[in-house]
């Protein structure tokens, strides 16, 4: 009985929010099922909220993300009301960008992720902390951070169009529009095509053949 | 070093002297010999025998069994005459000759075996050793290097076609500096080699490079070590090293070393060519101390590529793209700091973004020929071929575009094919319907993928085997579909591929049957000259076939072709358009249309101030048009005869073939002939009989025929050519059927003049014609029979033909399926039958029955000749009977 009620609740929720996403109603329902399953397998509660740890597990196992800083940032990106939980609605909204977002949406999302202190700019320091694990440590180097600093400078040179030593959204947007590879310039925060496909298959049957 | 020495010894055991090596050495020494004791190394050096066998040996066959190659008599400045045997084991002093007449050679070996002549002479002659060490003798031969690069270039694109020149030229340009480098490195090697048995080089450079060696020996040792570690397996280098040793060791026993190995290696196939290409710039980089700042920046980026994770890699890739990758400094810098390896390795990863970034760079820098080779050497093509089946369309596009750039040389094209690339590329062509409405981004991407696939196929289609592979992979119908596109950037690679492949008969058929001619014709009217050019050259190649020519006309393709003749500033386009006109003009219906379009006048105006490739086609077209009497007049009126005759003095073989044909066609008109005669055109034609190329010979002889027919005082004119008659008769010895047929036709015309007939009879025309009678070629048979018929008119030539056994074979000609052969043969037999002996031969060969059938022919000339011949035979029989029963 409870099962049917829950199902109805889900359908109702789907009805309300599918229009603001890139999903069909059925897909939203599917996503909500996935959301609930992830919850129940975790705690056995029927609460429609996902905590940070669970979400990070999803990011790690389903979308192959590893960077701690960025995973936290992605969580913050999903958790729009900053209550430290991803609600069912936030889940669907977030995945809409995550899986099907337009370039514009993805740029906005990525910029928010990279803007660690949410001040509207990506500063040198923020870049440094995001890039610090990108280079293999070379024992011969006197200053192990030299390479990272250099990478930051390279990035600034390439993307800082107004020369204020930090990246505004417009700097970032201009750069990505000319070179789409720069979308995830400070680390992976979007799933790769392969994982998108694999995940889509779990909640939708509309996906086309990937291979 | 020890290892190196061991491997050296090992290799030197294997190497033996070859005839080529000995020959080149002797030749070189010859060029350095003379009377001047100070300036030359030897007085003289010569072979004992001038005869060279097919295998390059000069020793008699029974000595070749013992490994002997040749015998040389050497006269040094200081010692006695040396008689030397060169055998595969090495060279040694032999027992010398019994007498002075070189008849009896004592083959016994006296003394040790040396590895080559130079070593031997160093031991035997002090002056030789001294002078060769000085290396200060005058050089008698010109420099011959440089040629090999041309050969290599042509080999590189040998299987391609001569169109599509923009790329080719660009490529050559970029090769220029390299060539210089290569030459430099070659000189260096020669210098180190320090003996004169390499190709002759200017002595000045020897001094600089060769003698400098003695001074800084240490540096050289370093070189040795480097070279040794770099390529122990390469004989070439080993040779250099060994001969670099200061004292030439006498190699005992069968150990021997050939200097020509060296030469063979440098001259040999493409594999070494590419190795060399990479060697030289490397050295340059080392030598050049002030490298551009880009070099260091790129080096840093490559470091991040190597040591960074995906994020750092992407940043480095994007930053690298900010350099001017069209600049050679940057291109080579990427290679020299090991960037290519990393970029190609990235293609093997799972990261799509890294692959895209890497390919974007590879696509740019692969415009450079050296980079192309490096990419191929590093196995980049294999990986890119694999990427072609990736689900990511951007990636597919980039991979195909990069393949299009890299596959500009043969080895790369072969690699693409061998790894199944052609099939995958053809697969890319299969995009959705081109004109689908609405055009979704998805479909657009598919079309872009197809375009990139076509680009890559275009590059690949320069190899014959790839053409076949494209066809087998089902590429033709897909290309046909893409040909319906309305976008130039799609059409150019598609038409480019098609015109490249149209050299194959199967493609020409397919292009016609798949209805592509219509599209080609449509695109002739395009605004884009490159596209027009490719369409025109596709038609040029396809119009070899009659059906295609008709289709071009039916689709209205002749008009745009003619209007392209006005684009006289674009020579490539002009060459393609005139070529298409030439081939289309083979059909008389097309010629009619050309007449209406006033093409003749336009063509005539293109006879001057044009490059040869245009001229060949223009003249070819005029030659075809001139088959129509009216056009012959038009050519004259447009003033075309003088420039045509003028072109007879050219050297381009294919041009000469066409010019002679055109002049010949024009000469069938008496008025034209007057002009040709006045311009001394017949003499020019006649001198072309001396051309090396049998096609030119034949074409010239064909052209001479109408000239003799239509010239006033033809007999006198022909006689005025000194040695002319002898020359044409001597061509009857040619091995080419076409030459023989044409010369027979010319002789038949020459023989119309009695005096000339007498002269050619003196030159032995009768036995030579008789010798040819056994041919089965109908064209030759016809003209041969005509010539025989004419030549019978002089002296006792009839009898002579009979004695030379020419009669019986002629009878067999009557069984040929060709009517014109019958006529000429019957006429010849009629002439021959005036000699009773010939009548008997003919009768025995069963001529009567065959001739009786011919009497019933509708061809009057044939009837008459057959009847005449039978009459002669009959009269002889009657006379015989009368004699028997008086």
């Amino acid at each position: 009985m409870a099962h049917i009620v829950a199902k109805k609740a889900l359908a109702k929720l789907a009805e309300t929010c599918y229009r603001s996403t890139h999903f069909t109603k059925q897909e939203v329902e599917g996503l909500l099922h996935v959301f609930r399953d992830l919850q129940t397998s975790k705690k056995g509660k029927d609460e429609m909220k996902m905590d940070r740890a669970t979400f990070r597990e999803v990011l790690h196992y389903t979308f192959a993300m590893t960077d701690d800083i960025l995973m936290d940032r992605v969580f913050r990106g999903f958790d729009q009301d900053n209550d430290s939980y991803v609600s069912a609605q936030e889940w669907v909204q977030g995945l809409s960008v995550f899986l099907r977002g337009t370039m514009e949406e993805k740029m906005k999302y990525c910029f928010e992720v990279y803007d660690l202190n949410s001040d509207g700019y990506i500063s040198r320091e923020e870049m440094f902390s995001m890039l610090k694990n990108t280079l293999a440590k070379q024992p011969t180097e006197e200053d192990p951070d030299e390479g990272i600093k250099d990478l930051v400078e390279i990035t600034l040179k390439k993307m800082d169009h107004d020369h204020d030593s930090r990246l505004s959204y417009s700097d970032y947007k201009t750069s990505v529009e000319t070179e789409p590879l720069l979308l995830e310039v400070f680390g992976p925060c979007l799933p790769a095509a392969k994982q998108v496909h694999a995940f889509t298959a779990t909640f939708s049957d509309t996906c086309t053949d990937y291979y | 070093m020890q290892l190196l020495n061991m491997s050296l010894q090992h290799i030197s055991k294997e190497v033996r002297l070859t005839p080529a090596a000995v020959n080149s050495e002797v030749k070189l020494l010859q060029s350095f010999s003379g009377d001047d004791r100070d300036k030359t190394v030897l007085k003289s050096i010569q072979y004992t025998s001038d005869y060279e066998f097919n295998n390059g040996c000069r020793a008699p066959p029974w000595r070749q069994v013992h490994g002997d190659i040749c015998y040389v008599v050497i006269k040094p400045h200081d010692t006695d005459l040396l008689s030397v045997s060169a055998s595969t084991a090495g060279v040694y002093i032999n027992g010398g000759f019994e007498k002075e007449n070189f008849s009896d050679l004592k083959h016994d070996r006296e003394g040790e075996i040396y590895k080559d002549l130079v070593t031997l002479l160093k031991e035997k002659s002090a002056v030789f050793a001294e002078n060769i060490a000085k290396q200060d003798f005058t050089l008698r031969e010109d420099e011959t290097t440089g040629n090999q690069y041309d050969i290599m270039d042509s080999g590189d694109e040998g299987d391609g076609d001569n169109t599509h020149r923009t790329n080719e030229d660009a490529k050559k340009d970029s090769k220029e500096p390299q060539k210089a480098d290569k030459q430099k490195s070659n000189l260096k090697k020669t210098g180190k080699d320090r003996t004169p048995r390499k190709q002759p080089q200017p002595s000045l450079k020897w001094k600089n490079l060769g003698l400098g060696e003695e001074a800084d020996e240490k540096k050289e040792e370093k070189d040795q070590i480097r070279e040794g570690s770099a390529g122990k397996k390469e004989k070439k280098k080993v040779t250099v090293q060994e001969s670099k040793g200061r004292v030439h060791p006498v190699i005992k026993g069968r150990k021997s070393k050939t200097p020509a190995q060296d030469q063979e290696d440098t001259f040999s196939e493409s594999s070494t060519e590419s190795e060399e290409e990479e060697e030289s710039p490397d050295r340059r980089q080392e030598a050049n101390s002030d490298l551009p700042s880009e070099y260091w920046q790129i080096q840093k980026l490559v470091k991040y590529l190597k040591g960074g994770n995906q994020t750092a890699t992407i940043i480095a890739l994007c930053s690298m793209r900010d350099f001017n990758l069209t600049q050679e400094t940057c291109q080579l810098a990427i290679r020299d700091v090991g960037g290519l390896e990393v970029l190609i390795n990235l293609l093997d990863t799972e990261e799509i973004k890294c692959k895209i970034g890497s390919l974007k760079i590879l696509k740019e820098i692969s415009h450079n020929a050296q980079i192309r080779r490096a990419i191929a050497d590093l196995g980049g093509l294999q990986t890119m071929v694999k990427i072609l089946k990736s689900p990511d369309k951007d990636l597919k596009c980039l991979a195909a575009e990069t393949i299009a750039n890299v596959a500009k040389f043969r080895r790369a094209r072969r690699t693409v094919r061998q790894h199944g690339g052609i099939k995958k590329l053809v697969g890319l062509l299969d995009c959705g319907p081109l004109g689908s409405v609405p055009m979704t981004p998805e479909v657009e991407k598919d079309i872009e993928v197809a375009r990139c696939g076509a680009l890559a196929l275009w590059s690949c289609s320069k190899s014959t085997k790839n053409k076949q592979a494209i066809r087998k992979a089902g590429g033709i119908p897909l290309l046909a579909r893409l040909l319906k596109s309305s976008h130039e950037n799609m059409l150019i690679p598609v038409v480019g591929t098609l015109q490249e492949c149209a050299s194959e008969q199967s493609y020409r058929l397919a292009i016609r049957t798949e209805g592509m001619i219509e599209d080609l014709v449509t695109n002739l009217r395009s605004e884009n000259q490159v596209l027009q050019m490719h369409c025109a050259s596709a038609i040029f190649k396809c119009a070899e076939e009659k059906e295609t020519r008709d289709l071009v006309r039916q689709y209205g393709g002749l008009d745009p072709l003619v209007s392209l003749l006005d684009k006289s500033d674009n020579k490539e386009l002009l060459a393609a358009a005139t070529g298409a006109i030439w081939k289309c003009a083979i059909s008389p219906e097309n010629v009619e249309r050309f007449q209406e379009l006033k093409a003749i006048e336009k063509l005539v105006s293109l006879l001057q101030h044009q490059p040869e490739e245009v001229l060949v086609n223009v003249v070819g077209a005029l030659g075809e048009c001139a088959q129509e009497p009216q056009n012959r007049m038009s050519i004259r009126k447009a003033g075309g005869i003088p420039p045509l005759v003028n072109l007879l003095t050219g050297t381009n073989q294919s041009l000469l073939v066409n010019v002679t044909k055109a002049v010949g066609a024009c000469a069938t008109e008496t008025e034209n002939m007057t002009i040709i005669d006045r311009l001394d055109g017949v003499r020019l034609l006649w001198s072309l009989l001396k051309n090396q190329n049998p096609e030119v010979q034949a074409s010239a002889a064909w052209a001479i025929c109408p000239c003799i027919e239509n010239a006033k005082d033809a007999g006198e004119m022909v006689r005025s050519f000194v040695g002319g008659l002898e020359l044409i008769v001597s061509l009857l010895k040619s091995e080419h059927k076409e030459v023989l047929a044409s010369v027979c036709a010319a002789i038949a015309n020459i023989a119309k003049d009695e005096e000339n007939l007498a002269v050619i009879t003196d030159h032995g025309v009768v036995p030579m014609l008789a010798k040819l009678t056994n041919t089965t070629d109908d064209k030759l048979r016809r003209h041969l029979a005509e010539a025989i018929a004419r030549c019978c008119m002089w002296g006792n030539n009839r009898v002579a033909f009979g004695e030379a056994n020419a009669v019986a074979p002629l009878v067999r000609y009557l069984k040929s399926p060709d009517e014109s052969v019958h006529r000429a043969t019957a006429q010849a037999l009629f002439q021959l039958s005036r000699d009773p002996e010939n009548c008997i031969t003919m009768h025995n060969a069963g001529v009567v029955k065959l001739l009786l059938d011919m009497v019933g022919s509708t061809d009057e000339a044939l009837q008459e000749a057959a009847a005449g011949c039978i009459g002669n035979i009959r009269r002889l029989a009657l006379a015989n009977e009368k004699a028997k029963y008086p």
Side-chain angles (χ1 to χ4, degrees), chain B residues 687-699:
Chain B
S687 51
L688 286 178
L689 293 176
K690 282 187 261 187
N691 195 292
Q692 297 297 311
N693 185 336
E695 266 184 80
V696 177
Q697 289 176 345
S699 185

Side-chain angles (χ1 to χ4, degrees), chain B residues 26-80:
Chain B
V26 172
K27 223 188 206 160
L28 252 150
L29 288 173
Q30 268 172 352
S31 63
F32 293 120
S33 49
D35 285 327
D36 192 332
R37 202 187 153 101
D38 294 318
K39 293 257 170 83
T40 58
V41 292
L42 294 169
K43 261 199 183 126
S44 73
I45 171 167
Q46 61 190 103
Y47 294 109
T48 56
S49 155
D50 284 330
Y51 183 75
E52 192 175 336
F53 288 85
N54 280 343
N55 55 9
C57 296
R58 288 170 196 261
W62 59 90
R63 288 297 307 173
Q64 283 182 29
V65 178
H66 298 273
D68 285 10
I69 294 168
C70 62
Y71 311 106
V72 192
V73 179
I74 303 166
K75 212 177 208 169
H77 287 299
D78 45 356
T79 57
D80 289 338

Side-chain angles (χ1 to χ4, degrees), chain A residues 131 133-136 138 141 146-148 150-151 154-155 157-158 178-188 193-194 210-211, chain B residues 297 300-301 303-305 307-312 314-319 321-323 350 352-354 356-358 360 391-392:
Chain A
L131 293 178
N133 293 322
T134 57
L135 286 181
Q138 298 199 331
E141 297 274 329
E146 202 186 290
I148 313 288
D150 194 32
L151 267 184
I154 290 171
T155 321
K157 191 180 152 204
K158 189 157 177 64
T178 45
E179 177 52 272
L181 287 180
L182 291 173
L183 180 65
E184 292 175 81
V185 57
F186 298 114
K194 208 169 154 185
Y210 183 68
Y211 288 105
Chain B
Q297 288 166 340
K300 201 173 62 186
L301 288 176
K303 200 177 79 190
Y304 298 146
L305 279 186
N309 71 358
Q310 191 202 351
T311 307
I314 299 247
I315 293 175
L317 286 174
C318 291
S319 171
R321 291 235 297 139
D322 287 343
F323 287 95
E350 281 291 297
I352 289 182
K353 289 190 174 185
C354 293
I356 289 181
S358 162
K360 277 182 175 173
D392 189 295

Side-chain angles (χ1 to χ4, degrees), chain B residues 59-114:
Chain B
W62 59 90
R63 288 297 307 173
Q64 283 182 29
V65 178
H66 298 273
D68 285 10
I69 294 168
C70 62
Y71 311 106
V72 192
V73 179
I74 303 166
K75 212 177 208 169
H77 287 299
D78 45 356
T79 57
D80 289 338
L81 202 70
L82 298 170
S83 175
V84 177
S85 290
S87 77
T88 50
V91 295
Y92 54 85
I93 304 276
N94 59 33
F97 290 97
E98 287 279 7
K99 297 154 202 145
E100 278 302 302
N101 60 3
F102 290 175
S103 59
D104 281 313
L105 187 66
K106 278 193 222 153
H107 291 290
D108 309 347
R109 176 154 70 89
E110 290 186 2
E112 278 168 314
I113 295 185
Y114 297 81

Side-chain angles (χ1 to χ4, degrees), chain A residues 3-137:
Chain A
H3 183 68
I4 295 169
V5 172
K7 208 171 179 182
K8 273 198 175 154
L10 281 186
K12 206 179 153 199
L13 192 56
E15 180 68 43
T16 55
C17 68
Y18 86 93
R19 275 179 231 281
S20 57
T21 67
H22 296 289
F23 301 114
T24 64
K25 197 176 144 196
Q26 285 74 26
E27 282 173 332
V28 173
E29 271 181 50
L31 277 174
L32 291 172
H33 277 290
V34 173
F35 184 72
R36 198 192 52 196
D37 292 349
L38 284 167
Q39 284 301 98
T40 42
S41 69
K42 209 65 198 170
K43 292 167 195 158
K45 291 189 281 183
D46 202 29
E47 204 178 344
M48 290 303 263
K49 272 180 172 178
M50 190 187 277
D51 62 8
R52 186 183 292 255
T54 321
F55 185 76
R56 281 182 58 148
E57 255 170 60
V58 174
L59 286 183
H60 188 85
Y61 291 113
T62 316
F63 299 116
M65 288 184 191
T66 47
D67 190 310
D68 281 334
I69 302 179
L70 288 178
M71 281 201 284
D72 273 341
R73 292 299 304 167
V74 172
F75 177 76
R76 294 288 291 274
F78 271 69
D79 178 21
Q80 305 244 317
D81 55 6
N82 282 327
D83 63 350
S84 293
Y85 286 101
V86 172
S87 72
Q89 202 143 352
E90 283 167 350
W91 166 257
V92 174
Q93 299 282 6
L95 283 177
S96 168
V97 177
F98 216 54
L99 303 175
R100 306 240 171 118
T102 62
M103 200 58 184
E104 182 75 37
E105 285 171 347
K106 282 182 178 170
M107 283 194 284
K108 267 212 179 89
Y109 159 81
C110 286
F111 188 82
E112 276 167 26
V113 168
Y114 295 143
D115 180 12
L116 299 179
N117 59 6
S118 305
D119 65 346
Y121 295 98
I122 305 174
S123 66
R124 266 209 172 83
E125 292 69 35
E126 285 168 331
M127 289 183 210
F128 185 85
S129 53
M130 286 186 285
L131 293 178
K132 70 172 177 252
N133 293 322
T134 57
L135 286 181
K137 288 277 180 290

Side-chain angles (χ1 to χ4, degrees), chain B residues 518-629:
Chain B
E518 185 177 3
D519 299 310
L520 289 174
V521 166
T522 313
N523 289 316
L524 271 182
R525 298 175 202 268
S526 148
E527 289 292 301
N528 185 314
Q529 296 204 348
V530 179
L531 180 55
Q532 287 179 313
M533 191 259 288
H534 289 307
C535 286
S537 33
I539 293 176
F540 179 14
K541 286 177 186 160
C542 292
E544 292 284 347
E545 283 150 38
K546 188 183 177 305
E547 292 87 342
T548 306
R549 295 195 288 267
D550 293 340
L551 284 174
V552 173
R553 182 182 64 253
Q554 283 156 21
Y555 291 124
L558 302 180
D559 303 41
L561 279 177
V562 171
S563 60
L564 284 181
L565 292 182
D566 299 328
K567 305 254 169 70
S568 54
D569 45 334
N570 184 339
K571 300 302 177 196
E572 280 176 44
L573 177 56
L574 202 56
T578 48
I581 292 180
W582 168 20
K583 292 299 171 187
C584 286
I586 296 173
S587 292
E589 298 90 337
N590 290 351
V591 175
E592 249 170 63
R593 183 67 194 148
F594 285 140
Q595 254 169 304
E596 289 162 22
L597 294 166
K598 304 246 176 284
I600 310 282
E601 287 76 6
K602 286 188 182 181
L603 286 170
V604 167
S605 71
L606 289 175
L607 277 176
Q608 274 153 319
H609 316 298
Q610 296 297 337
E612 272 179 353
E613 13 334 342
V614 176
L615 282 176
V616 171
N617 298 342
V618 169
V619 174
L622 284 175
E624 290 303 335
C625 290
Q627 306 299 320
E628 297 285 314

